[in-house]
């Protein structure tokens, strides 16, 4: 491509760079939310927009007349096992539109004559239903590259360029053979770790209550809570709910007596926002509740919310779970603002409190 055309495309990208960087951040958070909701473990997740310098280097190696066909936004989910790659593949099929011509699914890596140990790659764009949402509308024409390497595939991708050098014809054959053998070993190791994990899972037993395991307490503290765990917390200490019900009334919200079905729904919304905000262990929930009582911080915040919306809050339906929901929403907003609040049921929970549904 001629230099003038390259500079023209590069300039156009720089003018839209903020949009692509914002899209990269939103997509990365969305992918994380979806993966976590699916219960898939991952080692790391990152997302970025291509820098202008990288774009110019790319344009010198391809013949593109515009930005179409160039991966400008990438999200990489670093996984532990090949099985997890398959789970995410199924997930994205229902959540995004796939550019099959430019994607490399796991089925495309089954060729026994392929070279190396490459990762699964998808070129995706927003589904029509998501693109029609107001908060996603400006990204509807943008695509992104989703990379799903296992940790051993990432190791291959990192090390391979260091050892793949231009050599003589005889040495090249030897180098290629050695690289193929190493790639095969990595693939075998990936499958071996997966088989080992499955065997351990099948044979594992619960640690007896009287075990002398010194790490037991710390392990329990870090366990992600289940709905039953959180329910038991409130059941074992009825003062928690009574306290926050009284705080909502003291803050000025109208008294509201929910039936058991409504209260259960409020509890479910609280579970959702606690997990989404990162307060996903019982110890973290207890710490948050304790922090809200210091200097009446929670009560003061409820008063602020009441005074801010006092012209409309006569229709608000505030039970103790809803009061805690609003406190998490306000104090953990920095952790929530870039997440898909519709998908996580947080917006619906908020609308429900204000009488919106």
């Amino acid at each position: 491509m001629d230099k003038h055309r390259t500079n023209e495309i590069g300039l156009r990208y720089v003018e839209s760079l903020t949009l692509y960087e914002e899209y990269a951040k939103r997509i990365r958070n969305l992918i994380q939310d979806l993966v976590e909701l699916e219960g898939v473990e991952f080692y790391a997740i990152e997302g970025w927009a291509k820098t202008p310098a990288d774009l110019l280097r790319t344009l010198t190696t391809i013949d593109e007349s515009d930005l179409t066909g160039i991966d400008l936004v990438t999200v990489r989910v670093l996984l532990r096992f090949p099985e997890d790659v398959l789970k995410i593949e199924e997930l994205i099929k229902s959540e995004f539109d796939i550019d099959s011509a430019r994607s490399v699914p796991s089925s495309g890596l089954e060729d026994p004559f392929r070279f190396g140990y490459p990762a699964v790659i998808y070129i995706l764009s927003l589904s029509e239903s998501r693109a029609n949402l107001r908060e996603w509308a400006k990204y509807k024409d943008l695509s992104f590259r989703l990379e799903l390497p296992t940790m051993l595939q990432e190791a291959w991708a990192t090390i391979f360029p260091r050892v793949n050098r231009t050599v003589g014809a005889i040495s090249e054959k030897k180098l290629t053979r050695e690289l193929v053998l190493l790639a095969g070993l990595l693939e075998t190791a990936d499958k071996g770790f997966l088989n080992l994990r499955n065997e351990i899972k099948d044979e594992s037993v619960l640690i007896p209550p009287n075990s002398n395991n010194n790490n037991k307490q710390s392990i329990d503290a870090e366990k992600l809570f289940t709905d039953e765990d959180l329910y038991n917390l409130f059941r074992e200490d009825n003062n928690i709910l009574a306290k926050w019900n009284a705080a909502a009334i003291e803050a000025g919200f109208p008294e509201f007596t929910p039936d058991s079905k409504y209260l259960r729904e409020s509890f479910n919304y609280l579970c959702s926002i606690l997990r989404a905000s990162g307060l996903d262990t019982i110890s973290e929930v207890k710490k948050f509740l304790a922090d809200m009582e210091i200097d009446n911080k929670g009560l003061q915040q409820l008063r602020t919310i009441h005074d801010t919306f006092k012209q409309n809050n006569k229709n608000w339906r505030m039970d103790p779970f809803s009061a805690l929901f609003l406190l998490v929403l306000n104090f953990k907003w920095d952790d929530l603002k870039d997440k898909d609040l519709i998908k996580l049921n947080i917006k619906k929970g908020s609308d429900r409190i204000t009488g919106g549904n």
Side-chain angles (χ1 to χ4, degrees):
M1 183 183 299
D2 65 84
K3 187 174 181 180
H4 174 73
R5 183 60 177 161
T6 297
N7 290 338
E8 181 182 332
I9 296 175
L11 179 60
R12 193 186 319 152
Y13 179 64
V14 170
E15 292 173 346
S16 304
L17 183 57
T18 300
L19 175 66
Y20 286 102
E21 290 176 335
E22 182 182 284
Y23 182 49
K25 185 176 182 181
R26 294 285 308 271
I27 282 293
R28 179 234 178 258
N29 289 332
L30 173 60
I31 293 292
Q32 179 170 345
D33 291 341
L34 293 173
V35 170
E36 288 178 345
L37 286 171
E38 196 68 16
V40 177
E41 294 183 10
F42 59 88
Y43 180 77
I45 180 169
E46 53 185 341
W48 65 89
K50 188 181 287 291
T51 66
D54 284 342
L55 175 63
L56 291 177
R57 280 192 290 270
T58 300
L59 291 173
T60 61
T61 62
I62 61 175
D63 185 20
E64 291 284 347
S65 58
D66 54 30
L67 294 173
T68 304
I70 302 176
D71 301 325
L72 300 174
V73 169
T74 299
V75 174
R76 178 184 295 135
V77 185
L78 187 56
L79 300 160
R80 291 184 172 87
F81 303 104
E83 178 187 57
D84 297 326
V85 177
L86 299 177
K87 291 178 181 178
I88 297 182
E89 280 190 294
E90 290 302 312
L91 173 66
I92 63 175
K93 288 175 183 177
S94 62
E95 295 288 343
F96 300 98
D97 290 340
I98 301 174
D99 184 345
S100 300
R102 299 175 56 212
S103 298
V104 183
S106 57
S107 60
L109 300 177
E110 294 174 355
D111 181 359
F113 299 105
R114 62 173 166 78
F115 179 73
Y117 192 27
V120 166
I121 295 171
Y122 279 91
I123 306 302
L124 305 170
S125 56
L126 299 176
S127 63
E128 183 178 357
S129 59
R130 191 179 299 279
N132 286 335
L133 296 174
R134 180 181 300 176
E135 62 268 32
W136 288 98
K138 62 181 175 180
Y139 313 116
K140 68 178 181 179
D141 296 324
L142 304 182
S143 63
F144 68 98
R145 174 188 176 99
L146 177 64
E147 300 177 353
L148 301 174
T150 64
M151 295 175 71
L152 291 182
Q153 285 171 331
E154 184 71 2
W156 167 268
T158 302
I159 297 172
F160 172 70
R162 298 271 183 170
V163 297
N164 185 33
R165 297 286 190 251
T166 301
V167 294
I170 296 177
S171 296
E172 182 179 3
K173 291 181 180 179
K174 180 180 179 181
L175 176 63
T176 300
R177 183 170 66 251
E178 292 294 333
L179 287 172
V180 168
L181 288 173
L182 288 172
L185 288 173
L186 287 174
E187 186 170 1
T188 300
D190 243 342
K191 293 177 181 178
F193 280 124
L194 175 60
N195 292 336
L196 185 59
R197 183 188 70 165
N198 291 336
E199 287 178 13
I200 292 173
K201 187 189 301 182
D202 293 338
E203 296 179 6
S204 61
V205 295
L206 294 176
I207 300 174
N210 295 326
S211 169
N212 291 324
N213 186 347
N214 293 329
N215 294 324
K216 183 177 184 299
Q217 184 175 357
S218 61
I219 291 174
D220 287 344
E222 294 302 318
K223 181 172 71 72
L224 303 183
F225 72 71
T226 64
D227 287 9
E228 184 178 359
D229 293 332
L230 191 64
Y231 176 78
N232 288 335
L233 172 66
F234 294 122
R235 185 181 63 179
E236 292 166 4
D237 187 352
N238 291 327
N239 289 333
I240 297 176
L241 298 184
K243 188 181 302 177
W244 289 108
N245 193 59
I249 295 173
E250 185 177 346
F253 290 100
E255 292 191 33
F256 171 61
T257 305
D259 57 27
S260 58
K261 179 182 177 182
Y262 189 94
L263 202 59
R264 181 69 194 187
E265 290 176 353
S266 295
F267 172 77
N268 290 338
Y269 286 120
L270 177 61
C271 288
S272 295
I273 197 171
L274 285 170
R275 291 189 176 103
S277 65
L279 299 172
D280 49 11
T281 68
I282 292 300
S283 60
E284 288 171 331
V285 173
K286 287 181 176 178
K287 183 178 184 304
F288 178 79
L289 293 174
D291 288 344
M292 291 300 99
E293 293 189 45
I294 297 175
D295 297 328
N296 286 324
K297 185 192 299 184
L299 173 60
Q300 295 303 326
Q301 183 62 40
L302 289 175
R303 283 175 173 162
T304 299
I305 295 171
H306 173 272
D307 293 344
T308 302
F309 300 98
K310 60 184 177 182
Q311 294 182 343
N312 302 315
N313 59 28
K314 64 181 180 180
N315 296 322
W316 285 36
R317 295 169 292 185
M318 189 74 76
D319 57 70
F321 293 127
S322 297
L324 291 174
F325 180 101
L326 288 181
L327 292 179
V328 176
L329 183 63
N330 280 269
F331 282 99
K332 302 293 287 184
W333 179 244
D334 286 343
D335 298 303
L336 294 166
K337 62 183 179 181
D338 293 319
K339 296 193 173 186
D340 189 340
L341 302 186
I342 295 178
K343 183 75 175 181
L344 294 171
N345 255 350
I346 293 173
K347 185 178 186 305
K348 187 175 181 180
S350 176
D351 290 344
R352 179 174 174 272
I353 294 173
T354 62
N357 67 330

